[in-house]
Amino acid sequence: MPLNERKKQILYAVVKEHVNNAEPVGSRTLARRYNLGFSSATIRNEMADLEEMGYLKQPHTSAGRIPSEKGYRYYVDFLMEVPALTEEEEIRLNKALKLEKMREIEQIIQNVSKGLSEITNYTSLVIAPQLTKSAFKEMRIIPIDEQRGIVVLITDTGFIKNKIINLPRMLNPQELNQVVNYLNKRLRGLAIDQVTNSLLRELKRDLFHRIEILEQAFLLLEESLSEDDNRIFLGGTTKILNQPEFKNVEKIKRLLSLFEQDSLLMSLLSSALEKKDVWVKIGKENKLKEAQECSLVTASYKVGGKTIGTIGVLGPTRMQYAKVIAIVKYFAEQLNQLF
Amino acid sequence: MPLNERKKQILYAVVKEHVNNAEPVGSRTLARRYNLGFSSATIRNEMADLEEMGYLKQPHTSAGRIPSEKGYRYYVDFLMEVPALTEEEEIRLNKALKLEKMREIEQIIQNVSKGLSEITNYTSLVIAPQLTKSAFKEMRIIPIDEQRGIVVLITDTGFIKNKIINLPRMLNPQELNQVVNYLNKRLRGLAIDQVTNSLLRELKRDLFHRIEILEQAFLLLEESLSEDDNRIFLGGTTKILNQPEFKNVEKIKRLLSLFEQDSLLMSLLSSALEKKDVWVKIGKENKLKEAQECSLVTASYKVGGKTIGTIGVLGPTRMQYAKVIAIVKYFAEQLNQLF
DNA sequence: TTTAGCACTCTTAATAAAAGAGTGCTAAGC
DNA sequence: GCTTAGCACTCTTTTATTAAGAGTGCTAAA
């Protein structure tokens, strides 16, 4: 049974009202505050229907209704209108971003994260560009002093990653060059996540007599490959605590300990990678138990058509979806343009 | 009026008991649990004295006593014994640290921070090595491709800092070298915090025709000079929430928002720099309002006699001082040896 | 089909009473 | 003169009771 126009109106109004006030919405309130053109009794009947259909629920008998997750889902899919940002808002966002002046990736990401959380008033999550999605272009090793050097890794998407390493004593510049040249020959053009451990082992065999320097160079490669390169930046972790659903200390602790575990956050965001435009996960739609009282709005950003990172906003299930979606979308577009 | 032996015993017992249970300590409990050799009535009298002298206080009439900040201070200064770590414990700590394998500074610092918080069960703060405390040794600029290069800054303490920069188009390698050589000549041997803005302006004048590349190089220098180079690493931010004094949501929020502001944390730790061995700040001894319900145990670490960073543990005023001091001391020593 | 009216339900806030822990003081003991 | 036992008193915490408020669901009328 599809929702008739009146039910849609009421569901819409309940969501809107509840998002603003965080309290169950009663029929009288609705009749008073929204000019729906029918009485509270009618609304009561419709609400009872909506509850039976699973779009609304009652915290307890004789309280108002709040949207169920199904209700929010319907709202997000069919009822809400994502506003285009006004010019004015765009200017404000750009001011918060100030990306033009940024050079270093880390700085950009941190700024995006901060901006997202401050404008939405929820917690933001940003995954820095993932090298694994790019292809190997070139590696160099630059000696600094007798003992140390810098390994530089360049990808086809134009990212540069570098790392200070210890150089083995007995290696002269020529030998160093040989090693580096060999590595470049073997690796050039490979997607970074194609550089498997078995390939690395093979290379190690070939170069066993230069093994030391190789080990160091490998460290950088492995780091690029490893999960913890997928660094996550959080912004406004305390923002979400202002929401009334988190006035309970136990809930706060559970959520904060989630924030401390990068790997969990990655898994939370990862499903969003490679997916469509903007992705909304409501409550239990999140696989992660710790986030099932929350909703997550994510979008990915790209370089040269390849998705290389994700930004997102985490708030309570009772979230300002339309507003957040508009903002997340905008930020992702800005990042696309930037890289 | 100095404390007699019995008062010391009682104060010691009150601190110990309260640190363990987080509840006011009554005279009867004390008489029962500690074999002090005198009755609860005697203890009551002594406690009343201690209260009048300011070492103990009552949350309300007819409750047990808890140590005042003065009481904790007396305990830290005169009563507690900082245990030497047993060999067993040292092995355990070293396992948690695993510093031997670390190369990158950031990794080391992060590991120290994690280890500190996990072993103490409080929140840890670690300031990464501060370049400003070192002297300028050498700067290099290494081109990567047509548009970009890496600036490398080397200090006399052996730290290397690098940054990817945009190279201006029209600069050929010779010119680049000239600029770099000139900068090195002017800056070599200066302490990094002596490289003031006025000196930089002067250099800019001298090199105004190569201004673009200079700007970029300066960015790195300025970054080394700027506050935000003093990066702070936090560990176990949620650990402190397990303490019963933080079962109040408002308090949690206040403390967490402190954790989000690096500059505040810096100011909290900064007084510890350059100071003696281990530094204990109890409650209101912290200048920062947000931390006045907490105690802070800090120690600095050095390279070549110069203090370049600080580690610390932040817990409730009701803290396991002896244990924490021993651990912080040990970690600082480990860092000293490492660098 | 919609709406007004009203009894009923459940939560939250406010109030009262009881239980528990610990003190402070007094007087007796060593 | 210091120490200890005893007991009344105080203050918090817990539990119970009541009252107020909001909102529903049902019935009957429009």
Side-chain angles (χ1 to χ4, degrees), chain B residues 226-244:
Chain B
S226 75
E227 279 298 325
D228 76 16
D229 178 50
N230 304 336
R231 289 186 57 190
I232 286 203
F233 292 81
L234 286 176
T237 46
T238 62
K239 285 266 163 60
I240 204 172
L241 304 187
N242 294 325
Q243 304 299 333

Side-chain angles (χ1 to χ4, degrees), chain A residues 105-106 129-132 138-140 150-155 158-164 192 219-226 228-231, chain B residues 144 148 150 162 164:
Chain A
I105 292 169
E106 188 155 323
Q130 297 182 289
L131 294 190
T132 37
E138 191 189 347
M139 161 180 276
R140 291 199 216 156
I150 298 181
V151 194
V152 180
L153 179 68
I154 308 170
T155 71
F159 287 117
I160 297 175
K161 192 174 165 72
N162 69 83
K163 186 176 158 70
I164 293 159
I192 301 270
L219 273 180
L220 175 61
L221 270 173
E222 276 170 9
E223 204 170 279
S224 310
L225 296 173
S226 75
D228 75 15
D229 177 51
N230 304 336
R231 289 187 56 191
Chain B
I144 298 287
R148 290 176 297 178
I150 298 181
N162 69 83
I164 293 159

Side-chain angles (χ1 to χ4, degrees), chain A residues 81-293:
Chain A
E81 282 173 29
V82 176
L85 297 179
T86 64
E87 212 166 314
E88 201 177 357
E89 284 175 313
E90 278 193 24
I91 291 169
R92 212 181 106 232
L93 296 200
N94 279 327
K95 224 178 219 167
L97 275 173
K98 278 191 218 135
L99 292 182
E100 320 83 53
K101 294 188 182 171
M102 306 264 148
R103 264 158 262 249
E104 297 270 355
I105 292 169
E106 188 155 323
Q107 239 182 328
I108 295 172
I109 296 301
Q110 236 156 21
N111 213 255
V112 168
S113 163
K114 195 176 155 212
L116 258 181
S117 74
E118 289 192 351
I119 290 168
T120 60
N121 263 310
Y122 299 119
T123 299
S124 70
L125 315 164
V126 180
I127 303 185
Q130 297 182 289
L131 294 190
T132 37
K133 306 291 172 184
S134 307
F136 186 96
K137 187 171 165 198
E138 191 189 347
M139 161 180 276
R140 291 199 216 156
I141 297 181
I142 302 150
I144 298 286
D145 53 28
E146 299 77 37
Q147 296 148 45
R148 290 175 298 178
I150 298 181
V151 194
V152 180
L153 179 68
I154 308 170
T155 71
D156 66 337
T157 42
F159 287 117
I160 297 175
K161 192 174 165 72
N162 69 83
K163 186 176 158 70
I164 293 159
I165 63 168
N166 296 320
L167 296 175
R169 289 279 157 93
M170 28 284 291
L171 210 69
N172 64 43
Q174 273 185 337
E175 288 177 305
L176 193 64
N177 264 332
Q178 282 171 23
V179 173
V180 171
N181 285 339
Y182 179 78
L183 278 176
N184 275 321
K185 211 169 87 188
R186 291 296 305 266
L187 296 175
R188 184 164 298 142
L190 284 178
I192 301 270
D193 48 8
Q194 283 178 333
V195 184
T196 59
N197 278 329
S198 61
L199 175 56
L200 289 182
R201 261 199 303 277
E202 187 189 323
L203 292 178
K204 267 187 197 166
R205 258 202 316 280
D206 292 357
L207 291 168
F208 69 96
H209 51 292
R210 308 259 159 68
I211 199 78
E212 281 177 273
I213 178 67
L214 199 59
E215 291 273 7
Q216 303 274 353
F218 276 8
L219 273 180
L220 175 61
L221 270 173
E222 276 170 9
E223 204 170 279
S224 310
L225 296 173
S226 75
E227 279 298 326
D228 75 15
D229 177 51
N230 304 336
R231 289 187 56 191
I232 286 203
F233 293 80
L234 286 177
T237 46
T238 61
K239 285 266 163 61
I240 204 170
L241 305 187
N242 293 325
Q243 304 298 333
E245 23 275 271
F246 291 93
K247 60 176 194 265
N248 171 325
V249 180
E250 278 314 307
K251 277 190 194 169
I252 292 180
K253 271 202 269 191
R254 236 175 302 145
L255 197 62
L256 288 178
S257 77
L258 167 64
F259 289 161
E260 278 191 344
Q261 292 173 272
D262 281 11
S263 57
L264 287 184
L265 292 176
M266 271 310 295
S267 74
L268 192 66
L269 282 174
S270 58
S271 61
L273 273 172
E274 310 280 357
K275 289 277 169 58
K276 60 182 177 182
D277 204 16
V278 179
W279 201 245
V280 180
K281 294 221 164 194
I282 299 170
K284 299 223 172 48
E285 293 171 13
N286 289 303
K287 275 173 200 142
L288 217 59
K289 214 172 48 234
E290 291 87 341
Q292 293 191 342
E293 300 185 25

Side-chain angles (χ1 to χ4, degrees), chain A residues 18 22-26 29 59-60 63-66:
Chain A
H18 181 61
E23 301 211 328
V25 186
T29 321
H60 53 86
R65 260 75 172 204
I66 60 177

Side-chain angles (χ1 to χ4, degrees), chain A residues 6 37-39 41-42 44-45 60-62:
Chain A
R6 199 163 65 187
F38 25 85
S39 74
T42 308
R44 260 200 302 284
N45 289 331
H60 53 86
T61 351
S62 80

Side-chain angles (χ1 to χ4, degrees), chain B residues 116-209:
Chain B
L116 258 182
S117 73
E118 288 190 353
I119 290 168
T120 59
N121 263 311
Y122 299 120
T123 299
S124 69
L125 315 164
V126 180
I127 304 185
Q130 299 181 289
L131 294 189
T132 36
K133 306 292 172 184
S134 308
F136 185 97
K137 188 172 165 197
E138 191 189 347
M139 162 180 275
R140 291 200 216 157
I141 297 180
I142 300 150
I144 298 287
D145 52 29
E146 299 77 36
Q147 296 148 44
R148 290 176 297 178
I150 298 181
V151 194
V152 180
L153 178 68
I154 309 171
T155 71
D156 66 337
T157 41
F159 288 117
I160 297 174
K161 191 175 165 71
N162 69 83
K163 186 176 159 69
I164 293 159
I165 61 167
N166 296 321
L167 296 176
R169 291 279 157 93
M170 28 283 292
L171 210 68
N172 64 43
Q174 273 185 341
E175 288 176 306
L176 194 62
N177 265 333
Q178 282 172 21
V179 172
V180 171
N181 285 339
Y182 178 77
L183 278 176
N184 276 322
K185 210 169 85 186
R186 292 296 305 266
L187 296 175
R188 184 165 296 142
L190 284 177
I192 301 269
D193 47 8
Q194 285 177 332
V195 184
T196 57
N197 278 329
S198 62
L199 175 55
L200 289 183
R201 260 199 303 278
E202 187 187 322
L203 292 179
K204 266 187 199 168
R205 257 201 315 281
D206 291 358
L207 290 169
F208 70 96
H209 50 293

Side-chain angles (χ1 to χ4, degrees), chain B residues 26 61 71 75 93 151 166 171 177 207 211 218 223 234 310 333:
Chain B
T61 352
Y75 170 82
L93 295 199
V151 194
N166 296 321
L171 210 68
N177 265 333
L207 290 169
I211 199 78
F218 276 7
E223 204 171 280
L234 286 176
T310 304
E333 275 161 17

